[in-house]
Amino acid sequence: MSDGLLTVMPGDGRARRPRMLSPLREHLRDTMWFAPTAGLVGALLLWWGAAELDTELVRLLQDEEEYDTLGDLNRLAEDVKVVISTIGSAMMTFIGVVFSISLVAVQMASGQFSPRVVRLYVRSRITKLTLTVFLATFLFSLMTLTSFESEQDPRLVSNVPLAEAVLAFLMVLLSLLLFIAYVNGTLRMMRVGFVIDRIARDSFRVAVRHPAEQEPDHGRLGPETARITHEGRAGVLRDVNIARAVRAARRQGVVLRLLPRIGDFVVPGMPLFAVHGGPPPGRHALRYTVHVGVERTFHQDLGFGLRQLSDIALRALSTSVNDPTTAVQALDRIVQFLASVAGHPLGALRHRDRRGDVRLVQPVPDWEDLVDLGLAEIRCCAADHPQVTRRMLAGLDDLLLLAPEARRAPLVRHRALLEQAVERLVPEPADRAFALLPDRQGIG
C-alpha cells in the first residue's frame, strides 16, 4: 500500500506498521456486549451444524432400515432431554452468580483503589469469556430442547439430537472449568498488588510504541496554512486513527499536527489539527480519525498509567484509608515506569508514510510532565508518612543515576521539595533524619 505508515520502535530502530484496526480493537475491548453477542451467534451456528448432523444420521439409519438402533437412540434421547432441561435452568443460576461476583469486585475496587481501575474488570478476558460461554451454553441448551420430537416411531422420526446433547455436555464441562478460572481471576483482581501490576504492564505497552527519534522541529513542517476544528461531541480525546490521518495528509500533500494531547478534554469548536504546507484535507477524509469518549484509555495515552498509580497512592495516603504500604507499592511501579522512559525522546511523535515523509505530528507528555504526574501529588501527601518519604527518596536517587544529565532537574527539584516538607512538618530531629533516609522498601 503506497499510503502506508511506518513507526520506529525504540531499541532496535526497526519500523513496524501499526494495525489499521487497532483503535476499533481497543474500543471493542472496552465493551461488555461484543464478546457475549459473538458467543450467542456462534452458539446458534454450532446448534445448526449439530442439528444437521443429527438429521443426516437419522436419515442414514432409516435408509439402512436400522429401525431397532434408531428406536434405542430415540429412547436414549428421551432420557437425555431431562438433563438438557436441567442444564438450561442451571446456567441461568451460574450467570447470576457471575454478575453478582463481578459487581461486588467492581464496587470494592472502585472504593479501595480508584474509580479509574474499574476498566480493568471491564476489559478482563476471563470475565468476558466466562459470561460468553455461559450464555452460549444456555442458548445452545434451549435450542437443543426444540430439537426433541414427540414422535416415537423410528420410521417417522426426523431428528434425534444426540450430537447436540454431546456438545451441550461438553459446553457445561467447559463452563465449570471457566467458572473456577473466573473465581480465581476475580480474587486476584481484588488484590492491590495485582491491580498495580496490571496498570504498570499496560503502561509499558504504551511506552514501547514511542519511536526513539529526536523531537520534531515544527519550523521544518512548513508554514501553518489552516486549522481543523472539532465538530463532534464534547469528551476526552481517547485515540487517533494514525493510519487514516497519515493517509489523508499524504493524499493532500500536507502535514497534520494534532493540537490537543491524548487524554485532553475537547469541546466542539476547539482546534483539533493544524495543517502545514497546503490546503487542509476534506472533512470526509478525516472522518473517524479521532475518537472522543467519556474517559481516558491506555491505547495511546502515555500518562494514564501514572495517573492511575498516583490516584491509588493518594487514596492510600488519605486519612480515611491510611495505608502507606499500598502507596509504596504504587511508587515502586511509578519509579519503574519513569526509569523505562528516562532515556527515550518525549514531547512529540512523528508518524511517516512509506516514503519517509512526516505526515502526522502527535504531542505526548515530555519528561518533566511525566515526573510531575507521577510524583508531585504523592509528595505533597507523603511528609507525614516516613515509609513513603524513604521510598520516594530512594526512587529519586535511582532515577538520578539512570536519567541523562539534561533530565535530572525535575528529579532534583522534587527531592529538594520533599526534604523541605519533611523538615517543616516533622519537629523531632531524630524522626526527621529517619524519614529522610532512602529505603527502597520504605521501612524495610
Side-chain angles (χ1 to χ4, degrees), residues 6-202:
L6 297 180
T7 300
V8 180
M9 301 299 294
D12 56 8
R14 290 177 295 178
R16 187 187 74 174
R17 289 176 60 86
R19 287 180 295 226
M20 289 285 291
L21 297 180
S22 57
L24 176 61
R25 175 178 175 270
E26 291 297 317
H27 298 166
L28 291 178
R29 286 195 63 191
D30 284 333
T31 66
M32 286 294 292
W33 63 265
F34 179 75
T37 301
L40 293 176
V41 173
L44 287 175
L45 294 176
L46 182 63
W47 168 79
W48 177 80
E52 289 294 319
L53 179 61
D54 288 329
T55 301
E56 187 63 28
L57 177 62
V58 170
R59 186 180 300 113
L60 178 62
L61 291 175
Q62 288 174 341
D63 292 342
E64 298 292 333
E65 297 184 354
E66 295 287 344
Y67 297 119
D68 292 339
T69 302
L70 192 56
D72 293 338
L73 293 178
N74 204 13
R75 286 188 292 272
L76 177 62
E78 287 298 317
D79 296 332
V80 171
K81 182 178 181 180
V82 179
V83 180
I84 299 298
S85 180
T86 304
I87 290 174
S89 58
M91 292 314 302
M92 287 305 298
T93 303
F94 266 108
I95 293 172
V97 171
V98 170
F99 269 113
S100 299
I101 296 177
S102 298
L103 291 177
V104 171
V106 168
Q107 288 178 340
M108 290 186 63
S110 177
Q112 183 178 356
F113 307 136
S114 167
R116 274 150 293 284
V117 305
V118 172
R119 66 183 303 277
L120 295 179
Y121 297 84
V122 176
R123 291 170 63 90
S124 172
R125 289 188 176 93
I126 187 62
T127 300
K128 293 180 180 179
L129 182 60
T130 302
L131 182 60
T132 298
V133 173
F134 280 15
L135 290 173
T137 303
F138 174 70
L139 179 60
F140 190 89
S141 301
L142 292 184
M143 299 306 298
T144 301
L145 287 175
T146 64
S147 299
F148 287 94
E149 299 179 359
S150 58
E151 181 61 57
Q152 299 296 319
D153 189 347
R155 294 175 177 82
L156 301 178
V157 70
S158 61
N159 186 16
V160 179
L162 295 178
E164 298 167 67
V166 171
L167 287 175
F169 293 151
L170 293 176
M171 292 179 70
V172 169
L173 179 60
L174 178 61
S175 298
L176 294 175
L177 295 176
L178 281 176
F179 182 72
I180 297 173
Y182 166 76
V183 172
N184 178 68
T186 302
L187 291 176
R188 291 178 63 194
M189 286 192 292
M190 295 172 68
R191 293 158 47 191
V192 64
F194 178 80
V195 171
I196 291 176
D197 179 68
R198 281 287 303 273
I199 294 172
R201 284 190 284 120
D202 287 342

Side-chain angles (χ1 to χ4, degrees), residues 366-372 375-376 379 396 399-400 403-417:
D366 60 21
W367 171 250
E368 186 171 0
D369 292 334
L370 294 178
V371 172
D372 290 340
L375 300 178
R379 174 179 52 76
L396 287 169
L399 291 173
L400 285 169
E405 181 68 29
R407 291 189 171 178
R408 294 177 182 174
L411 301 173
V412 173
R413 172 169 55 86
H414 280 285
R415 201 184 197 288
L417 290 174

